[in-house]
């Protein structure tokens, strides 16, 4: 009970082929693809799975990729970004909202600011950096930057954390709510200047999930004022996220998947070796009643976890990630890197 308590109802995932593979090697047959039901279960998974020696397993990766490919269809390796190829001029996106669906047209002015075509070749080694404070004092920066492609979440600042979190960035998510929390909705010119200056840290794609009509409105405002050459500000493709969400819903997930978990799905479709850092949905270290862990490594926020839990189920996500680790599909790094 040092770890934040989150009780969950168990629901089975149904990835038959992988389950069979696991069943033949597991002495806890049937546990794989179950969500953790409690902190005890998650810690059990953590201790038994993550403390074993890890090997990447190309055939398990292929099986899981295939499962994803079937679930996502044409979205499997495509449409993570709205670009000029996948979105015709004046295309109208329909957004679901609680009251009624709402529409927003991609005007000519926006269309010309979209990237021409975003596609990825297969990438040998990728890192995804989650935002947990567990990454502090890990000295994993070099390890993270060894990857050919680094995914990061929510414009986590880089410069001050290079030793632990590295500095390379190829795909950095930018939740539109950051415009409110850090840049006062860009209401004054100095907020805009600060925003543009901060964004210079990142390379390649700064990717904003603008999945409602209102956030799309804000994101297109940003697109119009974005004049940096260091990177591109791009818009997430709403139906891609929806497809990944549905994939996990049909396997028992009830809540909205987190940015980090979404990125794992995006990366699995294109990375041969996928390394995760900073994924730890607890506010304490597992073996220490004393040592607390920041929710975000770069800021001292104390989130209202009951609010977070209304939207996300990070513990179930984490138990799935541990199982993917055990199958050699991803590698979760916890603790210090050498
Ligand atoms: O956008 P979101 O609120 O989901 O993410 P965030 O708090 O900026 O963190 C980025 C990602 O890191 C999350 O989506 C989680 O997948 C992961 N994370 C974690 O595993 N443990 C934490 N304490 C915080 C974040």
């Amino acid at each position: 009970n040092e770890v934040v308590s989150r009780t969950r109802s168990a629901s089975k995932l149904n990835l038959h082929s992988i389950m069979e593979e696991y069943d033949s090697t597991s002495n806890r047959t049937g546990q794989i693809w179950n969500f953790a039901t409690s902190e005890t279960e998650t810690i059990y998974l953590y201790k038994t799975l993550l403390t074993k020696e890890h090997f990447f397993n190309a055939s398990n990766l292929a099986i899981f990729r295939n499962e994803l490919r079937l679930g996502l269809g044409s979205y499997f390796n495509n449409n993570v970004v709205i670009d000029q190829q996948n979105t015709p001029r004046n295309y109208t996106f329909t957004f679901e909202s609680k009251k009624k669906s709402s529409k927003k047209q991609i005007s000519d002015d926006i269309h010309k600011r979209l990237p021409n075509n975003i596609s990825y070749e297969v990438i040998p080694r990728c890192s995804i950096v989650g935002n947990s404070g567990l990454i502090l004092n890990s000295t994993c920066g070099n390890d993270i930057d060894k990857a050919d492609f680094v995914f990061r979440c929510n414009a986590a600042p880089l410069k001050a954390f290079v030793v632990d979190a590295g500095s390379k960035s190829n795909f950095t998510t930018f939740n539109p709510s950051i415009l409110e929390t850090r840049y006062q909705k860009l209401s004054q010119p100095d907020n805009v200047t600060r925003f543009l200056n901060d964004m210079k840290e990142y390379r390649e794609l700064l990717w904003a999930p603008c999945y409602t009509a209102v956030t799309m409105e804000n994101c297109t405002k940003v697109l119009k004022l974005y004049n940096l050459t260091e990177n591109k500000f791009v818009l997430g493709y709403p139906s891609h996220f929806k497809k990944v969400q549905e994939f996990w819903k049909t396997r028992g997930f009830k809540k909205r998947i987190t940015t980090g978990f979404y990125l794992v799905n995006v990366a699995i479709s294109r990375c041969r070796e996928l390394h995760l850092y900073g994924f730890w949905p607890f506010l304490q270290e597992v073996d220490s009643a004393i040592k607390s862990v920041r929710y975000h490594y770069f800021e001292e926020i104390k989130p209202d976890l009951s609010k977070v839990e209304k939207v996300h189920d990070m513990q179930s996500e984490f138990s799935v990630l541990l199982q993917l680790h055990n199958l050699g599909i991803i590698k979760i790094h916890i603790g210090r890197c050498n």
Side-chain angles (χ1 to χ4, degrees), residues 158-177:
L158 302 182
K159 279 189 200 100
F161 303 96
V162 173
V163 174
D164 294 326
S167 62
K168 196 166 178 174
S169 60
N170 302 88
F171 187 113
T172 304
T173 72
F174 183 96
N175 189 323
S177 66

Side-chain angles (χ1 to χ4, degrees), residues 82-88 110-117:
I82 301 179
D83 66 31
Q84 291 179 350
Q85 296 291 315
N86 61 26
T87 306
I110 294 300
H111 196 269
K112 73 175 187 222
R113 295 166 200 272
L114 299 177
N116 179 25
N117 182 15

Side-chain angles (χ1 to χ4, degrees), residues 172-184:
T172 304
T173 72
F174 183 96
N175 189 323
S177 66
I178 299 171
L179 294 173
E180 290 174 35
T181 53
R182 291 189 216 163
Y183 302 103
Q184 288 73 49

Side-chain angles (χ1 to χ4, degrees), residues 130-132 153-154 175 258-261 278-281 295-296 312 314:
N131 282 342
S132 163
C153 299
N154 291 330
N175 189 323
T258 64
T259 310
F261 192 77
F279 281 76
W280 187 252
Y295 185 71
H296 283 164
H312 299 305
M314 292 217 286

Side-chain angles (χ1 to χ4, degrees), residues 71-83:
L72 304 192
S74 61
Y75 288 94
F76 173 68
N77 205 4
N78 203 359
N79 289 7
V80 176
V81 170
I82 301 179
D83 66 31

